[in-house]
Amino acid sequence: MCALVKLNGGSVTVREMTSYDLDEVLAIEQTSFSTPWTKAMFREELFIPLCHDLVAMCDERIVGYICFSIVVDEVHLRNIAVHGDWKRRGIASKMIAEMICLSSEKGADRVTLEVRESNRGAIDLYKKFGFVVKGVRPLYYNDTGEDALILWADFEGML
Ligand SMILES: CC(C)(COP(=O)(O)OP(=O)(O)OC[C@H]1O[C@@H](n2cnc3c(N)ncnc32)[C@H](O)[C@@H]1OP(=O)(O)O)[C@@H](O)C(=O)NCCC(=O)NCCS
């Protein structure tokens, strides 16, 4: 278990996602994104060896999840969300910390992601982990035509 982040939200644990979690995960996904992943997308994710999916649990309830892939030494953070009642308690930070520790053990040393340029809360979260903007994908999001910022962070200094 990783000690990168002290949690400010009681006893939250992080474990691997299973197919039994998908209804709860989907409920959070649908309230978190304008173009949510479908249940089929999450289910497929669970069977791809390069993909890793974790859930944050509190009192037997799923309060957040993170989905990422590892290709050799690079991690791609593909999805992260926290239930509305549980935001700003360090849960996303805890899940990112777990992702970094797990990926580091598997030989990765850097991580990338795309984020909507309007998603200031997520950008602030990522900056706390040392992410920096390295590029832009113009018109990346179909629903709004918004650009995606491409962020990268090295694990060095985080662990
Ligand atoms: C972004 C998200 C995952 C953050 O989850 P969280 O558990 O609330 O984040 P944390 O509590 O770990 O936040 C850590 C820090 O990130 C920053 N942060 C997080 N959410 C923020 C917000 N809405 N506004 C400003 N800063 C924010 C703060 O610096 C925060 O530290 P603080 O609470 O001590 O000020 C959550 O808001 C969410 O699910 N959003 C919808 C889905 C989404 O946008 N996912 C990211 C897609 S790229």
Side-chain angles (χ1 to χ4, degrees), residues 114-117 135-141 146-150:
E114 289 93 19
V115 58
R116 286 179 194 257
E117 59 183 353
V136 176
R137 290 194 208 290
L139 310 175
Y140 186 72
Y141 297 99
E146 202 174 343
D147 296 347
L149 303 181
I150 305 168

Side-chain angles (χ1 to χ4, degrees), residues 5 7-8 28-29 31-33 63-65 77-84 86-96 113-116 119-129 141:
V5 173
L7 188 63
N8 180 26
I28 299 173
E29 174 79 8
T31 57
S32 299
F33 297 104
V63 294
Y65 54 88
L77 200 180
R78 301 171 58 241
N79 197 351
I80 182 169
V82 171
H83 189 289
W86 286 84
K87 287 182 182 173
R88 302 303 287 268
R89 300 196 202 188
I91 290 169
S93 300
K94 183 176 173 72
M95 294 191 296
I96 291 172
L113 58 88
E114 289 93 19
V115 58
R116 286 179 194 257
N119 196 345
R120 300 313 311 177
I123 292 168
D124 284 352
L125 164 70
Y126 299 138
K127 285 191 170 164
K128 282 200 165 175
F129 280 87
Y141 297 99

